[in-house]
Amino acid sequence: MLSARSLFQEILDNDNSFRLFCSIAASGEAQGGWENGRIAALVPESQRGLGPKIVRHGADEDKHGRIFNALLRKRGLEPVDVPQDADYTMLLERQGIGLAHDKLRADEPLTEYDIVAYLAHSRVTEQRASEQMQLLRKHFADHPDLGRAVKMISNDEDNHLAYCHEELLRLAAAGHARTIHRILRESALAEIRVYRDVSLVFMAQMGRILGWSKAKMAMLAAGIHAVYVYERLGGWRRMVSLRMPERLDALGGPASAAPEFA
């Protein structure tokens, strides 16, 4: 019987599939670390108080990338190039999710609108990251190799999501509510398409590596499409709601170290 646990266990047990999984994860986290670092360097004076939190966000993402690379090294594996059609962060940027890299490479300060857009985009993508890590935590928190990494990253992703909620509510109260609502909706609808497409590519890659049957591949593809239909019909709304989180000032301190991995 197919289940999230059995599928991921197959990926975990095979060196080639595990190598691809960790390489994709490490690449995405490293990209997020760079983006947050640049945003922190260019934050406008009106939002200067956000600077340390954005730095913390980027430091967490860098740490996650190091953790996934350390998991590879522990098994004597080297990272592989991420297939372009499985590069979640790059595909999101093409859809307008996240600030353009040309803007981040420049030395011009960002605008307050840019910061609103950054936080709204992050609120959507951090929802996905939090849910995925919660799923892994549910099934692999006690795994001897993966458990500590999963718990640490999951806790960080929950902090990132809480930070986005809190800061967007602050900006909404300051007069940006209509803009935030529009960007959240546009971002969520774009993200669910990208997530579907990347999931299909990822499963096809894993199927080739692990020798899955055509029937199994068809069943997994049908499941991915079913998730997209659910999200398109209304599931996307969970990505756009805002509520004051239980974890206030979740990124108010320095990033926690991960000496057991890095």
Side-chain angles (χ1 to χ4, degrees):
M1 179 179 177
L2 292 178
S3 67
R5 181 183 178 87
S6 64
L7 287 172
F8 193 77
Q9 191 67 59
E10 284 190 70
I11 293 169
L12 180 63
D13 290 344
N14 180 281
D15 279 349
N16 289 328
S17 55
F18 184 71
R19 187 185 186 194
L20 179 60
F21 167 78
C22 286
S23 297
I24 291 173
S27 174
E29 297 287 357
Q31 183 70 24
W34 177 82
E35 290 173 356
N36 278 278
R38 291 303 299 152
I39 292 168
L42 301 174
V43 69
E45 192 60 40
S46 63
Q47 298 297 322
R48 185 59 59 185
L50 270 178
K53 296 181 181 182
I54 301 173
V55 169
R56 161 74 185 275
H57 192 175
D60 282 344
E61 303 287 6
D62 283 336
K63 177 183 68 178
H64 300 167
R66 294 196 305 273
I67 288 172
F68 283 113
N69 282 319
L71 289 170
L72 285 174
R73 289 196 302 272
K74 191 171 182 179
R75 283 175 56 165
L77 303 172
E78 292 293 327
V80 295
D81 292 336
V82 176
Q84 288 194 354
D85 50 1
D87 192 330
Y88 175 78
T89 53
M90 181 189 72
L91 294 173
L92 285 175
E93 185 191 353
R94 290 179 181 174
Q95 293 294 318
I97 309 301
L99 300 183
H101 284 188
D102 287 346
K103 177 175 289 193
L104 295 182
R105 291 190 183 99
D107 290 326
E108 293 294 321
L110 299 173
T111 65
E112 191 159 296
Y113 175 86
D114 290 331
I115 297 301
V116 170
Y118 149 71
L119 286 166
H121 296 158
S122 296
R123 187 264 175 270
V124 170
T125 56
E126 292 296 344
Q127 179 77 37
R128 183 74 72 185
S130 176
E131 290 172 353
Q132 289 184 319
M133 292 311 303
Q134 285 174 13
L135 180 64
L136 289 177
R137 187 170 188 163
K138 175 182 177 181
H139 295 300
F140 294 99
D142 296 329
H143 190 277
D145 294 326
L146 205 63
R148 287 183 298 173
V150 163
K151 287 185 284 189
M152 179 176 289
I153 297 173
S154 179
N155 185 67
D156 287 345
E157 300 296 4
D158 290 346
N159 281 339
H160 299 167
L161 185 56
Y163 148 76
C164 292
H165 276 273
E166 185 176 3
E167 297 302 334
L168 284 170
L169 286 169
R170 177 182 63 81
L171 288 166
H176 296 284
R178 185 168 297 181
T179 300
I180 290 169
H181 176 76
R182 174 180 59 80
I183 297 175
L184 283 173
R185 186 180 190 279
E186 292 172 355
S187 300
L189 292 175
E191 193 278 343
I192 64 174
R193 291 193 301 271
V194 170
Y195 181 71
R196 174 201 59 191
D197 295 345
V198 169
S199 296
L200 289 169
V201 171
F202 178 77
M203 283 302 172
Q205 293 273 355
M206 291 301 168
R208 284 192 286 271
I209 292 171
L210 297 169
W212 289 342
S213 67
K214 289 183 179 180
K216 184 172 183 176
M217 291 295 297
M219 189 178 300
L220 290 171
I224 291 168
H225 284 294
V227 168
Y228 173 73
V229 169
Y230 158 74
E231 293 193 326
R232 186 64 184 83
L233 291 176
W236 61 272
R237 296 182 186 278
R238 77 190 189 285
M239 296 179 158
V240 304
S241 62
L242 292 175
R243 63 185 183 280
M244 192 57 69
E246 293 182 8
R247 302 184 185 190
L248 296 177
D249 197 26
L251 297 187
S256 59
E260 64 267 43
F261 302 107

